[in-house]
Amino acid sequence: MSEWERVFLQNLALPPHCQRRRIRPPGSTAFRCVLKYLEGAALAQGAEYQLRLSLFDATYHHFFGRTWRSGQRAARATPPHPARAAFNETVYFHTSLNHPGIAAVVEVVVTAGKGDGGSRHLSCGFGLIPLFGSGSEAMDPAAEDRALKLYHGTPRALLHPRFQDPVEKNKYLTVMEKSHLQYTLKPHQPLETIFHLLPENLLMSGLQTIPGLLPARGDTSDCLQKPRLMKPVTCYLERLSVQLYPSLEEFEEELLDLLNSDRLLKANATPDGDGMVVRERRLHVGVHNGLRFVQVPQVAVLVPEAEAMRGGCPGVPGSGARGAGQALVLRSHIQLSEMVPHPAFGVCFQLEYVFCASGRADGKALPGSARSEAADMRSVRWAVWSPILGAGEAEVVLPLRGGARRGPCQALVYQTPLGSRSSHQFQGKHVESGTVQFHVSTDSEEHLVTAAEILHKDRDELEKPPTPSLSPPAPLQTAASLRGPAVSATRASGRGWWAAVFLGDGPHAEDVLPVQSILLAAAAKRHRASCSNPPPLGQQTVGPPAVGRAERQGPAPGAAQLQLSAGGGDHSPGGRPRLAGPGALRWPDASTALHPAAGAHRCRGAAGSSRTLLSRASLARLHAAGFPEILDRNQEPVEISEPADPASFSLQLEEADPLQGNEIILQFLAFGRGPRDGMEGTWPTTIFLTFQFYRFPPVTTPRLQLLSADGGLAAGPAVPAQLLVRVNKDGTIGTKPPGLQLKYMVDPAFLRPGEQRWFVRYLAEHSLQIDVWDGDSLLLVGSAAVKLESLLRQGQAAVRTHHELEVATTEYEPDVTVIGREALRHGALRPLGVRVAVRGRLHLCLANVGHPCEETPGQPPSPLPSRSRIVPTPAGAGSVAASSWFSLNAAGGGRVSRARRLAEVDSELAAALHSRRPEGRLAPPAAPSEATAARRRKLRRMALVRQQEDAGGGRMSKLSGWQEQRAQHVRDLQIIDAYREHIKGESISRMLSQAITATHTVHAVLGTAEFFEFALKNPYGVQHTVTIEVDQPELSVILDPREWRHFKELTKSVTPVEEEMFHLRDDLRPQVYLRPNETVRIPFKYQTFSADPAVVAAQGPAGLGAGAEAAALSLGKSGAGRTKHIQVSFHVSGGKPIALLRVKVEPQPHVVDQTFRFYHPELTFLKKTIRLPPWHTLPGAPVGMPGGQPEMFVRCSDPDIICETKNMGPGEPQDIFLKVAGGPSPQIKKFFVAIYTDPWLAAPVQIWQFYLHSLQRLDVSCMTGQLTRLSLLLRGTPAPRRVQAFTSHPQELEVDPDGAFLLPANGIQDLYIGVKPRRAGSRFIYLNLVDVESHQLVSSWLLCLSCRQPLISKAFEISLPAGGGRGCNKRITYTNPYPSPRLYFLCTNRPDLLQFKEDSFEVAGGEVYTIGLRFAPSQGVGEEEILIHINDHEDKNEETFCVKVLYQ
């Protein structure tokens, strides 16, 4: 066994809980823990004790990492003191799981004798060391030691179902009286320099060897105070080739057959003619020190030897150097600059294949766009090369490994099945899995020898002292417990036997083929030795793990240990040959890794999310608040579940769901302020939220009151969570249950064809951005984002998840570059002058309730989106009805029409007939309904009856009445005849136009190009040149064949593309030449960049108001009122049209991916630069190196805004430049920017929403710590208002009057302000004047402060303990320089760290006064400069003292 394998197998660690791995933050915190001594009455005199340290996640009841064991120490008692066992051992580790539930568990183990003379280990107590506080920061470092309280029993008690967090509340744990462990825990910043050598969550003693570090010198109590890194050596791997047996063609053919069989087995389908093809062959190469990869492995693309030789690539060895078989070769060399001359350092190789589905089994692949979703990546082989120290240039041949073996790449690896051609032809040979061959060289061969000598010398010196922690570790075992410190690797992650393969239940140590360097010249003897004893091939079949024997070999009862087993072979007695993984295993989607657009899009969404999981205590508090229950379609409560793993998302599972209707529920529960949020303003008492979900309209919620859990108003500095309660119109608190619940109905019956798939992808890839506003001051509190992937039901009837979001705000200094939200996360590059602060936490619940899809009455079900984008030419006039006909759809598919009166069709004729009739017998111009006609018949009958009963009426009067009526009818017929003659020509022309008119409907979305083709036919027997005229600029003819071809590839159209098809006239109208009776396809593109404010969906979320509770129209049916029509005419010479195209445009809302808000002075230009996030940048790449990132293009919705992007060269970041004209205060300008990655602007990859708040600017020049008074002029509105001034920094800006006051109508009033800044420099302060009755913004100011530092007259320096929990009192003196008594006032720039005994004092002339100071403890180690300002009675600065405080 090589040194690398020994180190690798001895340091296997259990991974954290799967939920922790999903939301792991990028930063990691380093710790140094010193275990000093164990003391107590429970210790027996002379007994030997041992300490074991493990990491524990109290939220998920999960142990992780690896158990560290100290040496055994005997307990000694010196009366009158109790027994004590001294350890004085130091443990180092680092973790990124900065959560209050993460703790270190210390177990006390005693060695007891057995009857047969042996010994056994018994657990006699344990304790918990918390690592992080409630705010996810590291615990306060203490200068003095801490006493750890111990509990009876074993740490397995932490896995009890009734275990409560924190431990103090658990009544089942008993404290060991008069016993404790003395320890020290501190953050250890020097450990950050070796993060690349030490993996997370691995506990290491200071005396243990970390490969890549030189032994510590001097004091051994803190060996890693100044880590000494070994000098790296650059290695070059050239002429690299991979040989697979029996041949590359047979190996890949057999692998493809197994993959295809596995695909059919999982789908439970019969052979369908489809197959799998190899798309790419990749080789991952990286340096591993036995603990982790030193850097991210490099990825190289291998090509078959025949393909490389055809290209004439230099440096590729011929097949004669590798035998008669085929091989995969690398066309370039690999440079490894992180190699260190240490025996545990090795170069790891991982061979990975990228597969995709083909259209037929004959091996011909589909086009790239068609097979992108079917791409899959599989690891097939791996190897590790441990270089021989002191060897020079050489040729290296390594055997490849396969199967379920524990490897550094943490991936399932393909194994050649038993009974295959490969195994039959190469039985008994060590190269059965293949070989990798390369030539290695270094920059300095003598450096290897020198470093090796130093390493062996230091190791010899370290092995001299008998340190128990350096003794050989115990044999690796698999524990018997399920989730305790002794964890079974088989069931640890709850993923069946795949977890066993992934976590390392591999072959026995003696069955593992030693991967050693086989040097052809210098190590031939080693090569023969390694080939003499090949492993038995009968033990290579992959099957379910045999864990029974491993569990029987677990540790003794009571002794807990945390480690993974390298033993416990996976031997299945039978079964068909298959891949090293179960048939039902769902592999990760490879499309993300193969297509940078999807990967980058997914990364931005993930980074934009600020979600944290709720603890059980938070869930209990929220559950007791009485929020309304969320019910499924069967009126049953929906249980709270954990969000699913995004890697397991299946689009096919969503499409096959019978419940296609989605009821999306957003339930806002509470808003809490953190204990140390650093918020400079006052905490709001009311808030409201703004956001936009999918294509629904933007939402502004009502004002919500913040109430504590006991019903009181929000007050105090730190409240965990305050409930959100609705406020009535009169300002009183509503009596309804707390919280705000909004519902969105997404029914496929009302969506556009194919939009259901878009909506599912929106949930899978996007985040919902929520802005939180102060309901009183109308100032922005902060923004939060939550990923919507938890709304994917994946076949379930309903899902419900709880989220706790960080509400953060970004403050910009004047004239700085703005970066997107995903680039401002922790650890990313942050521009100068930008500060991100977390204001609070928003608690909300997301739910998705499935419903069966209900078809709309009278509407057929929505068909699937057609791949055809061709608009056919109308067949003729026979199929088009005249304008005076009303068409009905017949059952047989024909057209049936009903004749209507001319007066019902034409309003002018109806008006003419109406004017010719007497007043008493006026006929309405509109078509009479059935009820109206019946009523008129009854009235005529009644009139006839009354005429007959009239005594004065005779027969002559009746006859004259009939003659008058007949004459009236004759005049009406004459009017109708004249009217028909007048409109005959126009009607015939309209009929003929309708016969050649085709109609096409376009659902337009901002920035997205809608492509279609119109089939234009020449109806004449002679050739013609047809001119195309379009009356709207948004619709255009695609003239460039490259653009035409691009859109056809996107839409998967199979029609041909014709080069140089169009000719442009002088007026830029395109012309096309048509032969007799020829039909051509004219490509059109509709694209608009103008965002109409009215283009929003008619249905908003239910729950905003009383009227919104009723059902409304669904999404997608709201554009009918704003539909516009575009006419396209195709005419020949003389203006005679041969075809007409009528494009019906229905605007649709768009999805907003990110929102930016800028505050700028009114009536000025805003000039900003927004840096686009990097596409994919390799760490350590030099500046200017081409990274393969695509060029970005931008378009703005407002034509008056200058928006552009420039490509600054390869490897350089791309910026978006904005120049926007601001309006008068308090106007808010809203516009959108679409970002594209293709030059034809087909579809935007992101749409950003911008808000520009125009404010009145006021420049203030002031001094830190001194009050500067100003006045603002307020102008009244046409109506009197009760207003109040609010500021974003109330501690530095005071207003007079400070309460509500009356602003007279059209009057003028002064508002006095006083600015007293606490820090120097340039900054912004916002001031809002708000109508307190209607909560409307009356006016807004932007105060641009330019603060200068005062003159420091005296400077002091003191040292204080950090995090000690107690403050420190100091005194300084001040002498009154004036001869008369003076009154002075004291203030400081850090009131959180310094308090005065008296805020003001009076001292006589020339006298000395002693100022009492109270310094509060700091939470961290560092240096702080605190200014003490001594001001006069006008608050003008007299003197300023500077106190430099060193917190140690």
Side-chain angles (χ1 to χ4, degrees):
M1 180 181 298
S2 65
E3 179 70 11
W4 177 90
E5 258 184 308
R6 185 188 65 81
V7 175
F8 176 73
L9 295 177
Q10 288 181 0
N11 293 279
L12 297 177
L14 191 68
H17 194 269
C18 58
Q19 294 295 333
R20 295 291 187 200
R21 297 198 298 269
R22 290 183 62 244
I23 59 175
R24 181 177 299 178
S28 186
T29 306
F31 291 95
R32 172 178 175 263
C33 182
V34 181
L35 304 177
K36 296 192 173 182
Y37 59 86
L38 185 67
E39 186 179 66
L43 273 66
Q45 173 72 19
E48 292 187 348
Y49 292 90
Q50 185 186 51
L51 297 180
R52 299 183 180 182
L53 193 64
S54 307
L55 297 179
F56 178 68
D57 191 343
T59 303
Y60 299 102
H61 292 202
H62 180 79
F63 282 89
F64 62 96
R66 182 179 178 84
T67 300
W68 174 86
R69 292 186 292 265
S70 71
Q72 295 184 358
R73 299 289 188 270
R76 299 287 186 266
T78 56
H81 300 287
R84 172 185 294 189
F87 292 92
N88 293 322
E89 298 203 23
T90 306
V91 182
Y92 301 91
F93 63 96
H94 68 98
T95 180
S96 63
L97 306 178
N98 53 348
H99 189 272
I102 304 299
V105 179
V106 181
E107 181 183 13
V108 181
V109 178
V110 63
T111 303
K114 298 173 61 176
D116 54 358
S119 61
R120 60 175 180 172
H121 301 284
L122 298 177
S123 178
C124 57
F126 70 97
L128 275 80
I129 302 177
L131 301 181
F132 300 95
S134 59
S136 299
E137 296 87 2
M139 292 296 293
D140 301 337
E144 62 272 9
D145 299 342
R146 293 180 178 177
L148 179 63
K149 183 166 52 177
L150 300 177
Y151 300 92
H152 286 285
T154 171
R156 299 176 191 270
L158 300 176
L159 304 177
H160 195 276
R162 296 184 180 179
F163 170 74
Q164 295 181 0
D165 184 28
V167 184
E168 289 77 7
K169 296 183 179 180
N170 201 317
K171 61 182 180 180
Y172 298 98
L173 297 181
T174 306
V175 179
M176 298 176 61
E177 299 294 340
K178 299 181 181 180
S179 300
H180 69 276
L181 172 67
Q182 203 74 12
Y183 76 99
T184 300
L185 178 67
K186 291 183 179 181
H188 196 65
Q189 191 173 2
L191 198 67
E192 297 178 1
T193 58
I194 62 170
F195 275 3
H196 64 289
L197 301 176
L198 183 64
E200 284 189 44
N201 308 321
L202 184 63
L203 306 174
M204 298 289 288
S205 171
L207 299 178
Q208 289 180 268
T209 301
I210 299 179
L213 281 186
L214 293 174
R217 296 176 179 175
D219 185 16
T220 58
S221 62
D222 193 358
C223 298
L224 298 182
Q225 177 62 32
K226 294 181 179 180
R228 296 190 302 148
L229 297 173
M230 298 181 64
K231 188 175 181 180
V233 179
T234 302
C235 295
Y236 300 93
L237 308 184
E238 301 172 343
R239 301 195 295 272
L240 190 147
S241 62
V242 176
Q243 187 84 13
L244 298 173
Y245 295 99
S247 67
L248 177 63
E249 182 179 354
E250 295 183 22
F251 175 83
E252 292 183 350
E253 180 182 354
E254 185 177 11
L255 179 59
L256 293 175
D257 291 342
L258 292 174
L259 280 172
N260 193 40
S261 302
D262 193 68
R263 177 183 64 86
L264 296 175
L265 180 64
K266 288 190 291 185
N268 196 17
T270 58
D272 50 4
D274 294 343
M276 305 288 290
V277 295
V278 178
R279 182 174 181 179
E280 200 173 52
R281 306 163 184 88
R282 302 175 179 175
L283 185 66
H284 299 253
V285 184
V287 176
H288 199 282
N289 71 336
L291 302 179
R292 59 165 298 165
F293 279 102
V294 180
Q295 289 186 8
V296 179
Q298 304 180 33
V299 181
V301 178
L302 302 179
V303 295
E305 177 192 359
E307 180 180 341
M309 297 303 294
R310 281 197 305 268
C313 181
V316 178
S319 59
R322 294 182 301 272
Q326 299 174 339
L328 298 174
V329 297
L330 179 64
R331 300 182 180 181
S332 59
H333 71 276
I334 295 178
Q335 176 181 346
L336 301 174
S337 59
E338 64 270 20
M339 193 64 191
V340 171
H342 190 283
F345 268 69
V347 181
C348 298
F349 302 87
Q350 180 189 7
L351 180 60
E352 182 181 68
Y353 270 63
V354 180
F355 304 96
C356 63
S358 63
R360 299 179 301 275
D362 56 3
K364 295 183 178 180
L366 291 173
S369 58
R371 64 172 186 258
S372 61
E373 296 184 357
D376 195 4
M377 293 185 294
R378 305 289 178 109
S379 297
V380 297
R381 292 292 183 264
W382 67 278
V384 176
W385 170 56
S386 298
I388 295 180
L389 302 176
E393 296 188 11
E395 293 287 337
V396 182
V397 179
L398 296 176
L400 295 174
R401 303 186 184 190
R405 304 183 181 187
R406 187 62 136 127
C409 302
Q410 300 292 329
L412 294 171
V413 183
Y414 167 72
Q415 179 183 6
T416 304
L418 291 179
S420 65
R421 290 168 291 180
S422 302
S423 59
H424 282 308
Q425 295 181 19
F426 286 88
Q427 274 190 344
K429 297 185 179 181
H430 73 284
V431 295
E432 179 257 339
S433 296
T435 59
V436 54
Q437 176 181 345
F438 54 89
H439 175 83
V440 60
S441 61
T442 60
D443 283 341
S444 175
E445 270 67 49
E446 64 272 12
H447 182 271
L448 284 173
V449 181
T450 306
E453 293 175 354
I454 296 176
L455 178 66
H456 288 296
K457 180 179 178 181
D458 293 334
R459 175 177 293 182
D460 295 338
E461 295 177 357
L462 286 178
E463 290 176 352
K464 291 180 181 178
T467 305
S469 60
L470 291 179
S471 60
L476 300 176
Q477 300 171 351
T478 303
S481 175
L482 181 60
R483 289 189 303 177
V487 181
S488 172
T490 306
R491 300 189 298 264
S493 63
R495 295 186 182 179
W497 81 272
W498 171 79
V501 177
F502 185 81
L503 295 177
D505 279 336
H508 296 287
E510 60 270 15
D511 294 338
V512 177
L513 178 64
V515 183
Q516 300 174 353
S517 58
I518 307 174
L519 303 180
L520 298 182
K525 183 177 180 180
R526 182 191 297 262
H527 172 56
R528 289 191 298 270
S530 63
C531 298
S532 57
N533 297 317
L537 290 178
Q539 298 181 4
Q540 300 299 319
T541 304
V542 177
V547 297
R549 178 183 58 182
E551 293 179 353
R552 288 193 298 269
Q553 296 176 353
Q561 56 184 359
L562 183 60
Q563 56 190 20
L564 280 178
S565 175
D570 299 335
H571 313 309
S572 60
R576 65 176 186 88
R578 54 175 178 168
L579 289 172
L585 173 63
R586 179 172 290 113
W587 293 76
D589 188 9
S591 61
T592 302
L594 295 177
H595 302 282
H601 183 75
R602 188 181 300 273
C603 291
R604 283 194 294 272
S609 177
S610 58
R611 168 182 167 271
T612 58
L613 293 178
L614 287 176
S615 62
R616 296 184 183 273
S618 300
L619 290 176
R621 285 194 298 266
L622 295 177
H623 179 72
F627 293 104
E629 285 286 348
I630 297 179
L631 307 177
D632 59 7
R633 63 190 186 97
N634 298 323
Q635 301 304 312
E636 296 290 337
V638 181
E639 297 181 357
I640 301 176
S641 61
E642 294 294 337
D645 189 357
S648 62
F649 163 66
S650 173
L651 180 61
Q652 291 78 11
L653 192 60
E654 289 286 340
E655 293 179 347
D657 191 357
L659 304 177
Q660 286 294 308
N662 295 279
E663 181 184 358
I664 307 297
I665 301 175
L666 308 180
Q667 192 177 45
F668 299 94
L669 307 177
F671 184 51
R673 181 178 186 177
R676 293 183 299 272
D677 61 354
M679 189 172 186
E680 299 180 357
T682 58
W683 185 248
T685 58
T686 60
I687 64 171
F688 65 93
L689 312 172
T690 58
F691 60 90
Q692 182 177 5
F693 175 74
Y694 192 48
R695 297 192 296 109
F696 289 94
V699 172
T700 300
T701 67
R703 293 171 62 244
L704 303 172
Q705 186 81 42
L706 296 181
L707 292 181
S708 59
D710 55 359
L713 292 177
V719 181
Q722 297 152 354
L723 306 181
L724 301 179
V725 182
R726 286 201 180 194
V727 181
N728 298 327
K729 293 182 179 181
D730 56 356
T732 59
I733 300 177
T735 58
K736 294 184 178 180
L740 176 65
Q741 181 171 308
L742 307 179
K743 296 182 180 180
Y744 293 90
M745 292 300 300
V746 183
D747 195 337
F750 296 98
L751 298 178
R752 290 182 290 166
E755 191 180 356
Q756 178 71 7
R757 172 175 291 192
W758 299 348
F759 177 72
V760 171
R761 289 197 176 275
Y762 168 80
L763 296 181
E765 299 175 353
H766 281 73
S767 299
L768 179 65
Q769 183 172 342
I770 305 171
D771 292 333
V772 183
W773 301 81
D774 190 325
D776 297 326
S777 66
L778 305 185
L779 291 169
L780 180 65
V781 178
S783 301
V786 56
K787 298 194 70 174
L788 298 175
E789 61 191 10
S790 59
L791 291 175
L792 296 171
R793 291 187 287 107
Q794 292 289 282
Q796 303 182 43
V799 292
R800 176 186 176 190
T801 56
H802 272 178
H803 304 265
E804 183 179 1
L805 308 180
E806 290 183 350
V807 178
T809 184
T810 304
E811 295 184 358
Y812 304 100
E813 299 293 347
D815 301 329
V816 298
T817 300
V818 182
I819 290 187
R821 178 181 178 87
E822 62 280 336
L824 290 177
R825 63 185 185 275
H826 176 68
L829 177 65
R830 187 167 299 169
L832 298 177
V834 173
R835 188 169 65 94
V836 180
V838 177
R839 300 305 194 196
R841 296 181 181 273
L842 179 64
H843 299 259
L844 78 155
C845 175
L846 300 181
N848 185 358
V849 179
H851 293 278
C853 182
E854 299 180 1
E855 300 295 341
T856 305
Q859 177 183 353
S862 301
L864 294 176
S866 175
R867 292 185 179 272
S868 176
R869 300 298 179 103
I870 302 175
V871 181
T873 306
S879 62
V880 181
S883 60
S884 59
W885 292 47
F886 178 71
S887 302
L888 298 173
N889 291 328
R895 188 178 294 272
V896 179
S897 301
R898 175 177 63 85
R900 294 190 295 172
R901 299 176 180 177
L902 287 177
E904 299 176 9
V905 177
D906 194 279
S907 59
E908 295 182 0
L909 178 60
L913 297 177
H914 182 275
S915 62
R916 299 286 298 177
R917 301 192 179 197
E919 292 295 332
R921 303 181 59 187
L922 293 178
S929 61
E930 184 175 352
T932 305
R935 181 173 179 273
R936 290 177 179 173
R937 287 196 301 270
K938 294 179 181 179
L939 291 176
R940 284 197 297 268
R941 292 172 185 171
M942 182 65 66
L944 290 176
V945 171
R946 288 180 179 178
Q947 288 178 5
Q948 291 177 0
E949 293 177 353
D950 190 1
R955 187 173 181 87
M956 294 300 295
S957 61
K958 295 180 180 180
L959 182 59
S960 62
W962 284 109
Q963 290 177 351
E964 182 181 356
Q965 184 178 5
R966 181 179 179 85
Q968 181 67 35
H969 286 172
V970 171
R971 287 193 298 268
D972 290 346
L973 291 177
Q974 292 175 354
I975 293 175
I976 293 174
D977 186 63
Y979 172 77
R980 293 181 62 183
E981 289 294 333
H982 175 70
I983 66 170
K984 181 180 296 184
E986 181 183 352
S987 299
I988 295 175
S989 176
R990 184 170 58 250
M991 289 281 295
L992 295 177
S993 297
Q994 290 182 352
I996 61 174
T997 300
T999 303
H1000 179 65
T1001 302
V1002 171
H1003 301 278
V1005 180
L1006 175 69
T1008 302
E1010 297 290 339
F1011 168 78
F1012 63 93
E1013 294 177 336
F1014 177 71
L1016 178 62
K1017 181 179 180 181
N1018 182 9
Y1020 304 103
V1022 295
Q1023 65 273 10
H1024 278 288
T1025 299
V1026 181
T1027 304
I1028 306 174
E1029 292 185 0
V1030 185
D1031 58 357
Q1032 292 290 339
E1034 288 87 357
L1035 183 65
S1036 61
V1037 180
I1038 299 179
L1039 305 178
D1040 195 328
R1042 297 172 299 174
E1043 183 180 5
W1044 189 3
R1045 189 176 294 106
H1046 176 73
F1047 279 100
K1048 292 179 73 65
E1049 291 176 356
L1050 291 180
T1051 57
K1052 299 180 177 61
S1053 301
V1054 295
T1055 54
V1057 176
E1058 186 175 345
E1059 302 286 342
E1060 298 182 0
M1061 182 175 179
F1062 300 99
H1063 166 70
L1064 289 180
R1065 298 196 324 181
D1066 296 336
D1067 55 359
L1068 300 181
R1069 294 179 181 178
Q1071 291 182 331
V1072 62
Y1073 175 80
L1074 291 181
R1075 300 181 181 90
N1077 299 319
E1078 182 186 12
T1079 301
V1080 296
R1081 293 173 176 85
I1082 309 298
F1084 285 94
K1085 176 185 69 173
Y1086 179 84
Q1087 189 172 26
T1088 180
F1089 296 101
S1090 61
D1092 186 2
V1095 181
V1096 293
Q1099 180 192 11
L1104 288 179
E1109 301 291 344
L1113 293 177
S1114 292
L1115 180 64
K1117 294 299 177 182
S1118 61
R1122 291 167 301 277
T1123 300
K1124 66 177 181 178
H1125 301 275
I1126 302 177
Q1127 187 80 12
V1128 183
S1129 62
F1130 305 86
H1131 56 83
V1132 296
S1133 58
K1136 181 185 301 183
I1138 62 172
L1140 297 175
L1141 175 62
R1142 189 167 177 259
V1143 180
K1144 181 181 178 183
V1145 180
E1146 294 184 356
Q1148 300 290 332
H1150 55 274
V1151 175
V1152 175
D1153 297 284
Q1154 193 166 347
T1155 301
F1156 292 87
R1157 292 184 183 272
F1158 294 107
Y1159 296 85
H1160 199 67
E1162 62 176 349
L1163 304 177
T1164 59
F1165 283 97
L1166 169 71
K1167 299 178 182 178
K1168 285 295 179 182
T1169 301
I1170 301 178
R1171 175 148 296 175
L1172 294 174
W1175 196 255
H1176 54 281
T1177 304
L1178 296 178
V1183 174
M1185 177 181 177
Q1189 63 270 18
E1191 186 178 359
M1192 298 288 186
F1193 305 89
V1194 293
R1195 290 292 184 272
C1196 185
S1197 62
D1198 192 342
D1200 297 330
I1201 295 176
I1202 299 177
C1203 178
E1204 61 181 5
T1205 180
K1206 294 181 181 179
N1207 190 2
M1208 307 304 293
E1212 295 294 331
Q1214 298 190 40
D1215 298 334
I1216 294 179
F1217 303 96
L1218 285 176
K1219 185 178 180 181
V1220 189
S1225 173
Q1227 186 185 85
I1228 301 177
K1229 177 176 287 188
K1230 176 182 175 182
F1231 60 93
F1232 301 91
V1233 171
I1235 303 177
Y1236 302 85
T1237 56
D1238 63 305
W1240 307 116
L1241 312 183
V1245 295
Q1246 291 266 294
I1247 294 183
W1248 291 354
Q1249 182 177 238
F1250 288 82
Y1251 290 94
L1252 177 58
H1253 299 253
S1254 297
L1255 295 83
Q1256 302 180 51
R1257 175 167 182 161
L1258 179 62
D1259 294 317
V1260 181
S1261 179
C1262 52
M1263 181 182 295
T1264 304
Q1266 178 174 294
L1267 184 64
T1268 302
R1269 292 181 173 87
L1270 302 167
S1271 64
L1272 299 176
L1273 191 63
L1274 305 181
R1275 297 184 182 274
T1277 59
R1281 294 175 179 268
R1282 289 188 69 249
V1283 296
Q1284 184 176 354
F1286 297 92
T1287 174
S1288 60
H1289 298 72
Q1291 290 83 4
E1292 302 181 53
L1293 180 66
E1294 58 183 26
V1295 295
D1296 184 23
D1298 57 352
F1301 59 94
L1302 182 64
L1303 182 63
N1306 299 318
I1308 296 178
Q1309 186 171 343
D1310 287 332
L1311 177 67
Y1312 299 96
I1313 62 175
V1315 181
K1316 192 176 183 180
R1318 291 179 176 176
R1319 57 188 176 94
S1322 299
R1323 53 191 310 204
F1324 293 141
I1325 294 182
Y1326 306 102
L1327 180 65
N1328 282 357
L1329 189 66
V1330 181
D1331 188 332
V1332 295
E1333 296 177 347
S1334 62
H1335 298 284
Q1336 294 178 343
L1337 185 62
V1338 178
S1339 188
S1340 184
W1341 284 269
L1342 177 66
L1343 276 66
C1344 303
L1345 304 186
S1346 178
C1347 309
R1348 61 185 183 273
Q1349 191 83 350
L1351 181 63
I1352 306 297
S1353 58
K1354 291 184 181 181
F1356 305 91
E1357 183 174 343
I1358 61 174
S1359 298
L1360 298 177
R1366 293 176 300 175
C1368 179
N1369 295 324
K1370 298 290 182 179
R1371 292 181 298 176
I1372 60 175
T1373 59
Y1374 175 71
T1375 304
N1376 183 8
Y1378 300 99
S1380 59
R1382 292 294 180 99
L1383 178 64
Y1384 295 98
F1385 296 89
L1386 298 175
C1387 64
T1388 178
N1389 65 330
R1390 294 299 303 270
D1392 56 332
L1393 297 179
L1394 176 61
Q1395 296 177 359
F1396 300 103
K1397 184 179 180 180
E1398 296 175 353
D1399 293 335
S1400 62
F1401 63 92
E1402 186 175 3
V1403 59
E1407 296 294 330
V1408 178
Y1409 182 81
T1410 302
I1411 302 175
L1413 306 178
R1414 171 72 178 179
F1415 291 91
S1418 176
Q1419 302 300 328
V1421 178
E1423 178 181 310
E1424 295 287 348
E1425 286 191 358
I1426 302 177
L1427 299 180
I1428 301 175
H1429 304 286
I1430 304 176
N1431 298 345
D1432 59 7
H1433 65 284
E1434 295 181 353
D1435 223 346
K1436 300 295 183 182
N1437 185 252
E1438 289 285 344
E1439 283 196 62
T1440 298
F1441 297 161
C1442 178
V1443 181
K1444 181 181 292 185
V1445 184
L1446 300 177
Y1447 293 97
Q1448 299 176 351

